[in-house]
Amino acid sequence: MPFSIATWNINSVRLRMPLVERLLIEQAPDVLCLQETKVPDELFPEKAFRKLGYQHIAFHGQKGYHGVATVARRPIAIVEKRRFCEIEDCRHLSVTVRAGGKAILLHNFYVPAGGDEPDPEINRKFRHKLDFVAEMNAIRAEHDEVSGSILVGDLNIAPLEHDVWSHKQLLKVVSHTPVETESFEAMRLAGDWVDLMRLNVPYEQKLYTWWSYRAQDWEASDRGRRLDHVWSSPNLVTSFAGYEILRPARGWQRPSDHVPVIARFDLD
């Protein structure tokens, strides 16, 4: 079986623990990276994960907002819980995990959403988002013969034209504005990261991982965005065995507005 990593903005891990349990039972990824866990570390539901065979748990959380967690069926070691923009919110966690004889540095990110107004002069949340992405330039895809890097998470930017339902209509909407998409792609390239989800997918093919709660019928309107991402260092590209966007999860009972993305690698 290949080595698999799932990433999912769960929008409250305690509220949606039944959905997480369903994912782990049905898909059984080796590693699950969660974002927007919305729980302080002392209240994280460790017992529920351990009961499902995920004995290795790392989290970086706070009450009511943000938060990231990485759980695994194989040993992991915390590397860093990085603070960005001198703000004490919990948006990053990196761990190491061994797969295929390599030490994999795995980054789990929750990038700020940025509010509604795409003007950093009047919207401090948007300013924070741009500053956060700028600081991500320091996160490089470290790798050598015995190591590699993977970066996953809700990065809250849909960078390409066909990562949104309407490029033209969303050019002035936060998550797809030119200032975001250009800085985002510049950051990715500067870090030597490979966008695995677009690696072998035709440019014209629409890819979505998020559908708004505001849509009366999200499936019929299908006005989605690709806000969740899977990147790797160049040396892991040949081991990449594909991925699945678990679209049906958007229709589960009391769902997150994001769905899981499961990436697989020929690293056992």
Side-chain angles (χ1 to χ4, degrees):
M1 294 292 291
F3 174 67
S4 57
I5 299 175
T7 179
W8 193 6
N9 178 319
I10 193 58
N11 192 14
S12 178
V13 66
R14 290 186 293 174
L15 178 65
R16 295 187 169 82
M17 195 63 209
L19 304 188
V20 176
E21 291 174 348
R22 178 174 175 178
L23 174 75
L24 296 181
I25 291 169
E26 293 181 358
Q27 302 294 329
D30 293 290
V31 182
L32 170 62
C33 294
L34 294 170
Q35 302 87 41
E36 210 171 354
T37 54
K38 295 183 176 179
V39 61
D41 290 349
E42 63 271 19
L43 297 179
F44 189 84
E46 291 186 68
K47 290 182 180 179
F49 285 101
R50 296 188 193 281
K51 186 177 179 180
L52 291 164
Y54 290 78
Q55 301 291 333
H56 308 281
I57 301 171
F59 38 70
H60 185 202
Q62 63 190 93
K63 182 179 179 179
Y65 297 95
H66 321 314
V68 290
T70 299
V71 303
R73 297 192 294 175
R74 59 181 71 190
I76 57 176
I78 296 175
V79 175
E80 185 179 20
K81 300 176 181 180
R82 185 175 293 216
R83 181 177 68 173
F84 284 77
C85 306
E86 298 300 317
I87 296 176
E88 296 288 351
D89 51 9
C90 303
R91 295 182 177 276
H92 171 263
L93 172 65
S94 61
V95 304
T96 54
V97 59
R98 295 202 64 84
K102 283 185 167 60
I104 306 298
L105 177 60
L106 173 60
H107 293 278
N108 182 358
F109 268 100
Y110 175 47
V111 171
D116 295 323
E117 180 58 52
D119 184 344
E121 299 303 318
I122 63 174
N123 179 4
R124 62 179 180 81
K125 291 182 178 180
F126 194 66
R127 176 76 272 165
H128 179 210
K129 183 177 190 176
L130 298 180
D131 291 345
F132 192 102
V133 171
E135 285 194 20
M136 284 180 68
N137 276 272
I139 307 296
R140 301 303 176 105
E142 301 174 14
H143 65 281
D144 57 28
E145 292 182 357
V146 295
S147 68
S149 296
I150 295 173
L151 187 156
V152 303
D154 175 7
L155 305 187
N156 260 318
I157 293 173
L160 304 178
E161 177 178 349
H162 296 287
D163 289 340
V164 295
W165 64 273
S166 173
H167 172 64
K168 183 177 181 180
Q169 293 183 68
L170 270 67
L171 280 173
K172 295 183 179 180
V173 174
V174 173
S175 78
H176 193 62
T177 64
V179 66
E180 292 172 272
T181 60
E182 290 168 11
S183 62
F184 184 82
E185 282 292 274
M187 173 270 292
R188 182 182 67 80
L189 293 171
D192 202 22
W193 293 103
V194 179
D195 179 0
L196 295 178
M197 293 176 69
R198 278 293 183 185
L199 194 61
N200 297 309
V201 174
Y203 174 76
E204 297 79 13
Q205 181 175 325
K206 296 287 188 181
L207 287 182
Y208 308 145
T209 65
W210 173 92
W211 292 263
S212 175
Y213 285 133
R214 298 175 183 176
Q216 187 172 2
D217 187 337
W218 70 272
E219 192 165 23
S221 62
D222 200 23
R223 294 188 172 189
R225 307 177 203 176
R226 182 172 71 115
L227 302 180
D228 305 271
H229 297 264
V230 180
W231 298 350
S232 82
S233 52
N235 69 327
L236 295 182
V237 169
T238 55
S239 300
F240 180 55
Y243 70 94
E244 178 183 3
I245 298 173
L246 203 65
R247 180 185 172 111
R250 183 61 178 82
W252 291 355
Q253 188 173 7
R254 300 183 74 187
S256 171
D257 45 0
H258 296 253
V259 299
V261 179
I262 304 172
R264 297 180 173 84
F265 298 83
D266 287 326
L267 297 166
D268 55 22

